[in-house]
Amino acid sequence: MSPYIYGERNGIHIIDVLQTLLCLQQSVNYLVQAGKDNKSVLFVGTKKQFANIIEVYAKKANAYYVNQRWLGGMLTNWSTMQTCIENLKLLDKQEASGVFDSLTKKEASLLIKRQLKLKKYFGGIQEMKKIPDIVIIVGQIREINAVKECNKLGIRTITLLDTNCDPTLTEFFIPANDDSIRSVDLILNELSEAIVRGKLNLV
């Protein structure tokens, strides 16, 4: 990442903001075209402080998201994940139709607990019919399993990279402080806007 580091202050690397803007523009251009082509996009970021903004910007772009925990095989073992999603949909349907009300308190409690657990991990991909065309990743080191699965399947990735990350593991990257809520918020806003513009053909 040295070409993208402006300097060092008190032992902390400072990212070159100009490089961030250039890389961000490349990703934006790519996502505008992806939006036009109706490509499916998955946002991934499981740091607790980013859970809300990951969900907000994914929904804004009519995309999918994983913001709690990346389960091993989430993409490479998609058929198993689909079974979990179908179980979640069935529980949602049973709840809506009043099935839970006809059960004993203990039985209903067990089903609700199961439903909440499935929703926690699969709620953001509940409507995803197939593996995504593009994955946007916040935090390469933390989400390394997602990175590896995408690379194994040939899924294109856009990754926010901090100074200790590896740019060779992703097609597109944006040098940024992946611990900063403000930084992540600004970048995800631009990326989600790009997808929306592409879908609406507003360039």
Side-chain angles (χ1 to χ4, degrees):
M1 287 294 290
S2 55
Y4 306 96
I5 297 173
Y6 177 76
E8 186 178 323
R9 184 180 300 157
N10 299 325
I12 298 173
H13 288 121
I14 301 168
I15 291 170
D16 187 336
V17 177
L18 179 59
Q19 294 291 337
T20 298
L21 291 173
L22 291 172
C23 292
L24 176 60
Q25 190 57 55
Q26 289 177 348
S27 296
V28 163
N29 292 343
Y30 176 69
L31 286 175
V32 167
Q33 187 59 51
K36 285 183 179 180
D37 296 338
N38 204 29
K39 299 284 188 183
S40 59
V41 181
L42 173 66
F43 285 68
V44 177
T46 62
K47 286 184 179 178
K48 194 172 183 179
Q49 66 266 37
F50 299 143
N52 184 59
I53 58 176
I54 291 286
E55 179 178 354
V56 166
Y57 288 120
K59 287 181 175 178
K60 178 180 178 180
N62 197 25
Y64 310 106
Y65 65 92
V66 173
N67 66 347
Q68 295 296 324
R69 179 185 169 197
W70 184 268
L71 302 177
M74 211 154 208
L75 296 178
T76 52
N77 195 10
W78 177 240
S79 59
T80 299
M81 299 301 136
Q82 283 181 302
T83 301
C84 294
I85 291 169
E86 288 306 314
N87 288 338
L88 172 58
K89 288 181 177 179
L90 177 61
L91 288 169
D92 285 347
K93 188 176 179 181
Q94 289 175 335
E95 181 188 29
S97 63
V99 170
F100 288 7
D101 297 332
S102 65
L103 301 174
T104 66
K105 193 173 182 180
K106 185 178 180 181
E107 288 171 335
S109 177
L110 288 172
L111 288 181
I112 290 169
K113 192 176 290 186
R114 172 69 173 161
Q115 180 189 29
L116 290 174
K117 185 176 181 181
L118 287 171
K119 197 171 287 291
K120 179 179 180 180
Y121 298 125
F122 298 101
I125 58 172
Q126 193 168 345
E127 301 304 323
M128 196 165 79
K129 309 297 183 188
K130 61 180 182 64
I131 60 173
D133 298 306
I134 302 161
V135 178
I136 296 171
I137 298 172
V138 178
Q140 186 188 68
I141 292 176
R142 183 180 178 91
E143 313 303 344
I144 192 62
N145 289 330
V147 172
K148 288 178 178 177
E149 289 192 36
C150 288
N151 287 339
K152 185 175 182 179
L153 295 171
I155 299 171
R156 294 214 155 183
T157 54
I158 297 172
T159 311
L160 276 67
L161 295 186
D162 214 327
T163 55
N164 58 345
C165 295
D166 184 355
T168 66
L169 296 178
T170 181
E171 278 78 16
F172 297 91
F173 61 88
I174 303 162
N177 181 352
D178 63 12
D179 286 318
S180 165
I181 292 178
R182 185 167 182 268
S183 173
V184 171
D185 185 87
L186 286 169
I187 291 169
L188 291 187
N189 180 55
E190 290 295 320
L191 298 181
S192 63
E193 284 280 356
I195 297 168
V196 172
R197 289 205 310 274
K199 287 181 177 179
L200 296 176
N201 206 23
L202 300 173
V203 182

